[in-house]
Amino acid sequence: MRSEAPPLLPIFRTRAQGEILALVLQDPDQEWTVSDLARATEVPLTTAQSEITRLESGALLSSRKVGRTRLVRANKANPATAPLAQVVLLTFGPRPVIADAFANLGAQRVIIFGSWAARLLGEPGPAPSDLDVLVVGDGISRTALYAAAESAQARLKRQVNPILRSTGAWA
């Protein structure tokens, strides 16, 4: 089956490839199992394996075996890794960065919506300049909410607009 290039950055072969790179390149020192990457990107294990193999053959990723487990990480020795990480962070990075930045709020849901989400889903339009994030939960401090948004904004180099709704208002 032939898959199409992702609309957010069509230079990548597939959306899975961009999402795997976003996860791995956001913290180049972290090692991931292939299963963890497949689960995090919501792609079949075989798809994750083939995308990782391609990226490894291009020297963007490296891996090592520990027993039967294959651990994958960014290949920091490749001079293309750092600039690619910046490009990937701007396009595929918002999902993992937002998940990380908003993880400790105790939110029931954190949802990216607006133009970035629309482009990710293939809707045509201009490149998104900001990220709209809906946070659903009770007892969430606005100070913590804005600190999470500022953290994500610093990493993504684009404005992050958080909106807080109670679980009752969301229902």
Side-chain angles (χ1 to χ4, degrees):
M1 178 173 94
R2 181 169 165 83
S3 57
E4 294 189 19
L8 279 172
L9 193 62
I11 63 170
F12 291 111
R13 184 180 169 279
T14 64
R15 178 179 288 154
Q17 189 178 73
E19 289 179 356
I20 288 168
L21 279 170
L23 286 170
V24 175
L25 296 179
Q26 77 170 332
D27 183 357
D29 294 321
Q30 181 178 346
E31 289 184 308
W32 296 77
T33 67
V34 176
S35 297
D36 287 342
L37 287 169
R39 193 173 17 267
T41 57
E42 300 176 351
V43 299
L45 183 60
T46 55
T47 300
Q49 288 171 328
S50 65
E51 293 296 355
I52 290 165
T53 298
R54 271 189 198 89
L55 293 166
E56 197 170 9
S57 71
L60 294 170
L61 301 182
S62 61
S63 68
R64 66 185 179 102
K65 291 279 231 171
V66 176
R68 295 180 54 181
T69 303
R70 182 177 172 195
L71 296 174
V72 178
R73 70 183 317 162
N75 179 5
K76 295 191 293 187
N78 184 332
T81 300
L84 179 63
Q86 291 178 327
V87 172
V88 169
L89 189 62
L90 288 171
T91 53
F92 292 96
R95 286 176 65 185
V97 169
I98 294 296
D100 181 52
F102 288 78
N104 296 322
L105 294 178
Q108 182 184 26
R109 292 180 186 216
V110 176
I111 302 166
I112 300 173
F113 68 100
S115 60
W116 187 86
R119 297 299 99 57
L120 180 67
L121 294 173
E123 190 176 302
S129 60
D130 65 352
L131 283 162
D132 301 306
V133 180
L134 173 65
V135 178
V136 179
D138 297 318
I140 296 173
S141 153
R142 288 205 181 267
T143 302
L145 176 75
Y146 293 128
E150 286 177 18
S151 170
Q153 191 166 294
R155 289 170 65 189
L156 295 168
K157 309 283 191 268
R158 67 173 69 189
Q159 186 173 345
V160 174
N161 308 309
I163 297 174
L164 179 61
R165 293 292 180 260
S166 69
T167 53
W170 175 250

